[in-house]
Amino acid sequence: MAEDNLCIALNQVGKFVDTPDGKLDIVNNISLDVKYQEAVVIKGASGSGKTTLLGLMAGLDQASAGEVFLFGENLAGKSEEQRSAIRSGRVGFVFQSFHLVQGATAIQNVMLPLELSGVDGAHDQAQQSLHQVGLESKTDTLVEHLSGGEQQRVAIARAFAVKPRVLFADEPTGNLDATTGRQIADLMFHLRDQSGTTLVLVTHEGELLERGDRQILIESGRLLNGAAA
Amino acid sequence: MFVATVITVGIVTSSQLVTERIGLLLDRQASELLAADMVIVSSAEFDPAYRQAARQRGLQVSSSVSLRTAIFVDDDPRLVELKAVDDAYPLRGRLERAREVAGERSVSSEIPARGEVWVDTKLAQLVDQSLSLGETSFDTRWLLTFEPDRGGAIFNLAPRVLMNIADMPATGLVVPGSRVRYRMMFAGEQGDINRFKIWLTENLKPGEEVQDLENARPEMRQALERTRKFFALAIVLTLVIAMAAIAITARYTASREAPKVAMLRAFGISQKNLFRYYLKQLGGLWIAATIAGIAVGWVTQFPLQWALDGWFGRTLPQVYSLKPYFFAGLVGLLALAGFSLPYLINATATPPMQVLRTAVNRRSWLRGLLITGSAVVAIFGVLVLLMQSSMLAVATLAMVLVCAFALPLILGWMVKLLLFSSQRRFWLRQYLLSRLQASSRGAIYVMSGFSLVLIAILLIAVVKDELLGSWQEQLPEDIPNYFLINIRSDDIAAVGAYMQQHGIEASTPYALARARLTQINSIDVDEIDFLHPRADNMVRHTFNITHASEIPDQNEIVAGEWLDPDDPRGQLSVEQGMADRLELEIGDELTLTVGSKTLRAAVTSIRTVVWENFKPNFYLIANPGLLADLPQTGLLSALIEEQNKADLRRLLQRFPSITLLDITELMARVRNIVDKASVALQFFFLFALASALIVLLAAIQTGRHEREIESALLRALSAHTNQLYRVHVLEFTLMGALIGFFSACFATVAAWLISVQFFNIEFHFSASVWAYSLLSSCLVLTIAGIMVSRRVYNVSPMKILRS
């Protein structure tokens, strides 16, 4: 059973896949705790298993071994729908490739998860969120007409609009130049400080690494340091 | 998907409107055989309320009285069929008259004036003479060469004498006890007729019956039914194409939606909520597409009407019913739901992990089953909705399914075979084939979809050219043009011998008796609830029954064994349509009344009859022993050429009881229906081509983005545009060749099944189907390849790579 003050807890978690050459371990025997309001940065080389670990922590994927607790609930044996219900309204995401809905405006992108969650006043909430990321003048612009930095701002606005307890970010600055990346990182941490949201961030960018409360290093699917909060 | 749905709804609207209008036209032409749209007959005078009620409903009404009476021709008594008609007669069709037998025929808009009669060509010697009918004398002015409602019981006709109904009372022929046949005829708009028929059926008195085409002309009914089946098949095949377009576009849409779904699921949005969201979008799309499709369908009927008016030689009647629009909306809904919902359900199940890593969307067998099952239900629903014959619907569905399942497997296997059949030396070939396999099942599915479309088009072409051609062959120029009826049983052999002696091509003479079916397996037919709507009509009428030791030409046994001449027990061979309607099976015992006698016989065989061949055809054929000692008359059909006319005259002088029936006009009408069917099918063919174009565009659209990315990458890696252009065009050509080959295979098998099983038409292998299939497929896809490549190479590689 996870402790009450833990937002995420992993207990000897493993993830493997079957290949023609036998079982391949992607993540192996990882135990890790993340407290509420903590900012944890996961770092590692390409192919080290950091994105898989993020997916397991967020309940996007099911662990092959061990237990994952999110908001105190054990995700083991839970269906995708049940895991989805645990995330609903409590989790935000920011991705490297933005994952915005093309052909829709900035505000429509932010509103979409709110509306689908049945949130009242989705429009106002989305507008406020876009204001927070400095895009109040671009609310009705189609996302494909925005720059990379602006698109990532929309994605951050979308993530924070649901008022998440935890925000998962996968290489949020990976597709941006250094200056824009810095602005995005500032924005994300600023919003996190304002809202007290827990932050789990996967990156290999030095600057972002420095800004986390704790760094976790992963190599070949194994945790090298930073397991304990 | 929107465009594909608009096309589907448009096709249904337009085809339903046009087929309803053609159907009405054909019905109207059929009505000309009744001289009205509906007729009631009785041996007693009708209640004047019928006439009043019909007029109140805006219908035209006409009455006639007919009876048999004797006249004297050169002091010889002759039995004639006297018919008295009013000024409104005929409500449909026309009368034709001539001054002499070989003289010019003219259409008459009048009926005989008071005091005059028109007589059958058989009574030509009476023209310009006085003719006594009962207590009155009449002037014989014209020969009656054609009257539309010559009557269903054609084999029992005596020569016709036509008079004005106003003269009838003066003849004194209608007295209590005389065998008079009263007919009241009605004509008007179909809706008014239908409403009046409902009212009339509720108010008919015993002994009064409604006569329609069913009991009037089996050969016309079969021709019309066959035409409708052709239409239905053409529409369904066109719809298959349109639905393939929906399926391809739905698959494309669903695959495009997958990243969005993954993102939303990562945010914790439930599958249920996502499904509801897409359902709402789909509902909106259906409403918009239905409105647009109905508008498109409604508008396209006008150029079609213009084209068909010219061909048909008359204006197509208007359709005021909402049914075509309702059907169109329903078909659009079924097609959209059946083909796109499963894909969307599948899309809503996109694993959220896909937001982090492009994982394969795990497709469970259950979801595969859902996609297939839903498509099957949709196609079946549409087929049953639109087609009269559900068996044909099931068979078409089965064929579509076999194609849909088999094609991806076969095409995938074929590409694999080509890909790995030799060592990878020739990069272009390897690259080309891997292109077909790649993106990967997508390309195979698009190929399968296009192949399905081509099969449907080929089948429409087969129906249009080959099947109709075969049908026309069943109506060769040298089929009989005369029936010789009322041959006395003693004269049958002598008449046959006379024909042979004078080299006149004639059928075997048949002895006829009129029978009424009274019991099936000792249960009165009145007490049996038949499921078939036409069954009651059949048991109310008398049939011609004949005996034969050999099965007549173009009849084919489909169940049981042909009559055994050595078996003394009563045996009957029943026509398949009659057996279906009355639910008769081999071994059932039928009780028939012939005159005052009752016969019992077992059904020993069920056979098909080609009614349109104009040879003597029968619902019931008995073994010779069964009809012995019963009153019979003879019948034969003959092809009488101009040079034989004199022989025919001598024959009629020698056997004065014979009535000669000229069926040239009837034959021309059936031929006309076949020709019209052919013209109408051209129209469906055009529709099929239009929707095939949509499939093609959808197919092109499906792979466009991948192609753009790929070509941008290859161009960035210094590949020559011309090089890539050639590869892409070749890829499409190869795809075309594969599609053409398999489509021709499937179309040939399906055409064989349809023609033999459902249209009872001999199947001929068509090399042109193969030629069309291969050539058109290669050509169309090569052009598509050129179009796709042009668009792909017009996009800046930088733009693609940045995106």
Side-chain angles (χ1 to χ4, degrees), chain B residues 188-251:
Chain B
E189 291 295 335
Q190 194 60 43
D192 296 332
I193 288 286
N194 291 344
R195 278 187 288 278
F196 181 61
K197 193 172 182 179
I198 293 166
W199 178 86
L200 197 62
T201 314
E202 287 165 359
N203 289 281
L204 278 183
K205 296 176 181 59
E208 295 173 347
E209 63 182 58
V210 175
Q211 199 175 55
D212 56 23
L213 200 62
E214 167 64 28
N215 42 48
R217 293 255 83 102
E219 64 281 350
M220 288 295 294
R221 174 182 50 76
Q222 195 174 36
L224 288 173
E225 273 182 7
R226 216 174 246 196
T227 308
R228 288 209 171 103
K229 265 190 190 176
F230 276 131
F231 285 171
L233 189 63
I235 294 168
V236 161
L237 290 170
T238 314
L239 275 175
V240 165
I241 300 170
M243 289 193 281
I246 293 181
I248 288 178
T249 47
R251 191 172 183 281

Side-chain angles (χ1 to χ4, degrees), chain B residues 250-263:
Chain B
R251 191 172 183 281
Y252 172 65
T253 310
S255 68
R256 280 189 59 141
E257 288 296 299
K260 179 170 146 188
V261 168
M263 180 272 292

Side-chain angles (χ1 to χ4, degrees), chain B residues 537-553:
Chain B
N537 229 337
M538 281 205 107
V539 295
R540 278 207 303 269
H541 290 84
T542 53
F543 305 98
N544 282 314
I545 179 168
T546 188
H547 60 79
S549 46
E550 281 177 21
I551 185 164
D553 246 10

Side-chain angles (χ1 to χ4, degrees), chain B residues 283-295:
Chain B
L285 187 144
W286 173 66
I287 291 169
T290 300
I291 294 168
I294 284 176

Side-chain angles (χ1 to χ4, degrees), chain A residues 100 106-107 110 126-141 143 146-157 184 187:
Chain A
L100 296 177
I107 194 152
V110 180
Q127 208 153 28
Q128 193 191 341
S129 201
L130 281 169
H131 179 77
Q132 283 179 317
V133 299
L135 283 180
E136 60 272 25
S137 60
K138 302 271 174 90
T139 51
D140 294 324
T141 309
V143 288
L146 297 175
S147 69
E150 286 171 330
Q151 289 195 33
Q152 193 61 302
R153 280 168 188 266
V154 175
I156 291 170
I184 291 296
L187 177 67

